[in-house]
Amino acid sequence: MLDKIIQLDKELLIFLNGLGSPTFDGLWLIITKQLYWAPVFLFVFYLMQKKLGWKTFGYYILFTALLILVCDQTCNGFKWYFERLRPCNDETVNHIIRVVKTSPSFSFFSGHAANSMATTVLTYNILKKYYKHTYLLFLFPLIFAYSRIYLGLHFPSDILTGYTFGAVFGFICYKLYKKHILKD
């Protein structure tokens, strides 16, 4: 059963990665870097601070930092435990896919997916009562994590596991934030 799931994962990777084009490689290399998302983050921070005030916004930043720390370190622990090769290093697929970027570290599961989904779930749950289109925040983890498949750095199951882990921890963090900070 596990072999069939792994094979389906590889086939989905080949399909999704194959949608790429050298014309867009530079764009996806930009998308995959957190630094280039800074204007979006600053805009969201502005919206949050405007609604929450400085003190509560400061707690949000603290909770976000702790959330990223937990997600990132847990993800790294899983990577070193499972030692799954990244697609760019996996000889069963790296000659078939478009390898745009390489990395020597392991693949399972995606820290980009976990961190982006966790912070989005936390932020969404705080902001949804203030802004009608807050659901658009979920475009960030979808685009950000897909960049990892596009570049040949993660299998789809790495992304889906990261999304699941991030969503669960983001929601737990929101509940703790709500209980201890918002108290409504």
Side-chain angles (χ1 to χ4, degrees), residues 111-129:
H112 279 74
N115 288 328
S116 63
M117 186 59 79
T119 55
T120 300
V121 166
L122 173 63
T123 305
Y124 167 80
N125 280 295
I126 294 169
L127 283 181
K128 68 182 179 183
K129 67 181 177 182

Side-chain angles (χ1 to χ4, degrees), residues 5-152:
I5 292 170
I6 291 171
Q7 184 58 37
L8 287 171
D9 197 26
K10 289 180 179 183
E11 289 172 12
L12 186 56
L13 165 75
I14 291 166
F15 172 75
L16 293 172
N17 175 270
L19 297 173
S21 161
T23 305
F24 297 105
D25 290 354
L27 173 65
W28 288 99
L29 285 166
I30 290 170
I31 287 171
T32 203
K33 295 221 182 257
Q34 298 93 329
L35 179 64
Y36 294 118
W37 288 88
V40 175
F41 300 153
L42 291 173
F43 178 68
V44 171
F45 289 170
Y46 166 75
L47 294 175
M48 293 200 71
Q49 189 282 323
K50 185 174 158 186
K51 292 296 181 183
L52 301 176
W54 283 108
K55 183 177 178 183
T56 306
F57 175 70
Y59 284 117
Y60 162 78
I61 294 296
L62 177 64
F63 271 73
T64 300
L66 291 172
L67 180 60
I68 290 171
L69 178 69
V70 168
C71 286
D72 206 49
Q73 293 309 305
T74 303
C75 174
N76 286 334
F78 271 72
K79 284 180 181 181
W80 288 106
Y81 179 79
F82 287 103
E83 295 185 348
R84 183 181 193 188
L85 293 176
R86 290 181 181 271
C88 59
N89 301 323
D90 185 334
E91 293 181 4
T92 64
V93 294
N94 68 0
H95 62 285
I96 301 169
I97 64 170
R98 298 178 66 255
V99 176
V100 180
K101 184 175 170 67
T102 60
S103 174
S105 63
F106 296 114
S107 181
F108 185 80
F109 56 91
S110 170
H112 279 74
N115 288 328
S116 63
M117 186 59 79
T119 55
T120 300
V121 166
L122 173 63
T123 305
Y124 167 80
N125 280 295
I126 294 169
L127 283 181
K128 68 182 179 183
K129 67 181 177 182
Y130 301 114
Y131 301 103
K132 181 179 179 180
H133 300 291
T134 307
Y135 62 88
L136 292 173
L137 291 172
F138 286 99
L139 289 174
F140 165 60
L142 293 174
I143 296 167
F144 189 54
Y146 173 72
S147 73
R148 309 306 283 172
I149 294 171
Y150 182 99
L151 298 172

